[in-house]
Amino acid sequence: MIPYSTQSISEEDIQAVVQQLRSAWLTQGPTVDLFEEALASYCGSRFAVAVSSGTAALHLSMVALGVGHNSLVWTTPNSFVASANCARYTGADVDFVDIDPATYNLSVAQLKQKLEAAERARRLPDVVIPVHHSGLSCDMAAIAQLAQKYGFKVVEDASHALGGSYHDVKVGSCAYSDLTVLSFHPVKNITTGEGGAVLTNDEKLAEHLRRLRSHGVTRDLNSMKYPDGTPWHYEQTELGFNYRITDIQCALGLSQLTRLDAWVAQRNELAKRYDGCFIDTPYQFQQGDPQCLSARHLYVLRVPEGRRDEIGKALRAEDILVNLHYEPIHLQPYYRRLGFKPGDFPEAEAYGNDALSIPLFPALSSEQQNLVISRLTRFFV
């Protein structure tokens, strides 16, 4: 069986977790701080706040930015539902911006056009969430320029993109955004089992995020309304959540992070070979800015002639476990009940009808990749 992706766990990873289990801290300890410092240093941001999942990171980002019942958040329909759900958790309205058919990312041209119409209608978005699909960064400089012109906040959903870069700047630096969200689910480029993080260069946002992830509780004397001088006193200053990550998870994340660059290089080598094999076939694959280094979380083929389901089922029957990333969010039953319908975002819908994620992960062997290529090419020989 060849999965579309899988985690890579080394003996060093196992020993890092065992060492943490033998320590005095399983959660809320110093390894969380060390992991956050390592993430911020790697990405080039000032702060990192590690949390229990990528979804938790998205939700906390909305709350920290003040998104609520009167807010409007835009994202892409070509993502997992969490990228839109995070705004709905706060009671905000959600809308979408169609994708670029070459990059699979939020289309800057469509965003600009939609913003112009929204300005005329006098309801601009409060937040835009561009998603770096497959690990390829969106055009963040262009999005940042639009954010400055129209006054919205930017939250990068970089759940696929840790290890990538945009114009020689690491994804996660927040050079073009207010916040960047990461995921450490097992199929992501590094894993903590489950987990996520929010990166930012804003100290107040970082402090707020840390408070929100732990019930809105503080032990900082300067943040207290009724300090009593005792070492055990704490105060809940707002309504927060239990979105903490454990030291056990962070020990695994620290160990994994040491191999991230090597893994991204391997992913790019494998993707380059796929590109070369599929360039003269009817299959299409993601095209990106040559000044961006994709983290290559996924390798997506677009299958012509309405044959995606036939090809996907045939491959799965041979234990090549291709997948779809993603069903368009706006066509999910929940979002249809909010008024979205087929035809609203045609490029994302076309993508959802012909996309297949094929196997790509650092441990994919040459023999396995050869098998995937041979099975795919036979459909158009």
Side-chain angles (χ1 to χ4, degrees):
M1 181 183 73
I2 308 175
Y4 83 89
S5 188
T6 187
Q7 70 270 16
S8 178
I9 301 296
S10 69
E11 185 60 33
E12 289 79 11
D13 294 335
I14 293 167
Q15 289 307 311
V17 171
V18 170
Q19 184 177 353
Q20 191 67 51
L21 287 168
R22 289 174 172 156
S23 77
W25 295 94
L26 298 186
T27 191
Q28 295 180 265
T31 307
V32 176
D33 296 336
L34 291 173
F35 183 49
E36 290 176 337
E37 290 166 8
L39 279 174
S41 176
Y42 179 87
C43 293
S45 64
R46 291 184 63 199
F47 307 101
V49 180
V51 295
S52 56
S53 69
T55 299
L58 283 163
H59 184 197
L60 291 186
S61 296
M62 297 296 99
V63 178
L65 290 175
V67 173
H69 285 280
N70 296 318
S71 301
L72 175 60
V73 175
W74 291 358
T75 188
T76 170
N78 187 26
S79 183
F80 187 56
V81 293
S83 301
N85 289 352
C86 61
R88 295 296 298 158
Y89 296 154
T90 70
D93 292 332
V94 171
D95 202 352
F96 301 95
V97 179
D98 211 349
I99 65 169
D100 182 296
T103 66
Y104 316 155
N105 283 335
L106 181 148
S107 165
V108 171
Q110 291 286 334
L111 176 61
K112 183 174 183 292
Q113 185 178 44
K114 193 171 183 115
L115 286 166
E116 290 169 352
E119 186 175 46
R120 291 192 295 270
R122 297 186 179 180
R123 200 183 182 200
L124 286 161
D126 299 282
V127 177
V128 172
I129 306 175
V131 179
H132 303 324
H133 196 282
S134 303
L136 176 68
S137 176
C138 297
D139 187 352
M140 292 308 303
I143 292 170
Q145 288 178 348
L146 291 170
Q148 185 174 19
K149 179 176 180 179
Y150 290 99
F152 57 84
K153 301 291 187 183
V154 178
V155 176
E156 296 177 68
D157 186 340
S159 297
H160 292 185
L162 181 61
S165 62
Y166 171 81
H167 294 193
D168 298 320
V169 176
K170 283 284 189 185
V171 170
S173 70
C174 298
Y176 301 98
S177 63
D178 299 277
L179 299 167
T180 301
V181 169
L182 303 174
S183 170
F184 309 126
H185 183 275
V187 297
K188 297 304 195 296
N189 286 13
I190 69 168
T191 187
T192 59
E194 285 280 4
V198 187
L199 305 166
T200 185
N201 293 322
D202 186 318
E203 185 173 9
K204 289 185 177 180
L205 276 176
E207 291 173 357
H208 195 187
L209 288 161
R210 290 195 178 99
R211 194 164 59 247
L212 285 168
R213 75 174 167 187
S214 191
H215 304 282
V217 166
T218 184
R219 293 181 182 273
D220 177 13
L221 287 173
N222 294 324
S223 300
M224 290 183 183
K225 190 170 183 179
Y226 307 108
D228 66 4
T230 61
W232 46 78
H233 182 63
Y234 63 86
E235 291 183 358
Q236 182 189 348
T237 60
E238 62 188 309
L239 186 63
F241 310 88
N242 184 359
Y243 281 166
R244 295 188 298 259
I245 196 170
T246 68
D247 286 63
I248 301 167
Q249 292 170 286
C250 289
L252 176 57
L254 274 167
S255 181
Q256 292 252 308
L257 193 58
T258 64
R259 305 199 298 287
L260 175 59
D261 285 341
W263 283 338
V264 170
Q266 288 173 295
R267 287 174 176 275
N268 272 276
E269 282 300 312
L270 291 164
K272 184 178 179 181
R273 181 154 187 259
Y274 276 144
D275 289 352
C277 290
F278 296 131
I279 196 166
D280 292 322
T281 72
Y283 296 113
Q284 297 177 29
F285 48 86
Q286 188 178 43
Q287 304 293 319
D289 184 341
Q291 295 184 71
C292 293
L293 173 68
S294 174
R296 291 292 190 176
H297 167 57
L298 299 171
Y299 191 94
V300 176
L301 283 180
R302 297 188 66 172
V303 177
E305 302 174 14
R307 297 185 64 188
R308 193 273 308 277
D309 292 353
E310 170 205 348
I311 293 171
K313 289 175 182 178
L315 291 169
R316 279 182 161 253
E318 297 185 64
D319 287 333
I320 299 172
L321 302 187
V322 295
N323 213 329
L324 169 60
H325 300 88
Y326 295 93
E327 304 273 3
I329 298 174
H330 70 287
L331 297 184
Q332 295 295 333
Y334 172 81
Y335 284 94
R336 290 194 193 213
R337 290 197 296 272
L338 297 179
F340 296 103
K341 61 188 183 304
D344 284 346
F345 304 100
E347 293 293 351
E349 291 169 32
Y351 171 95
N353 285 328
D354 62 30
L356 274 180
S357 297
I358 68 173
L360 181 69
F361 49 92
L364 184 70
S365 68
S366 296
E367 292 76 18
Q368 288 173 317
Q369 190 176 33
N370 286 340
L371 180 63
V372 173
I373 292 166
S374 69
R375 293 297 185 267
L376 278 161
T377 53
R378 74 183 178 184
F379 289 101
F380 294 101
V381 173

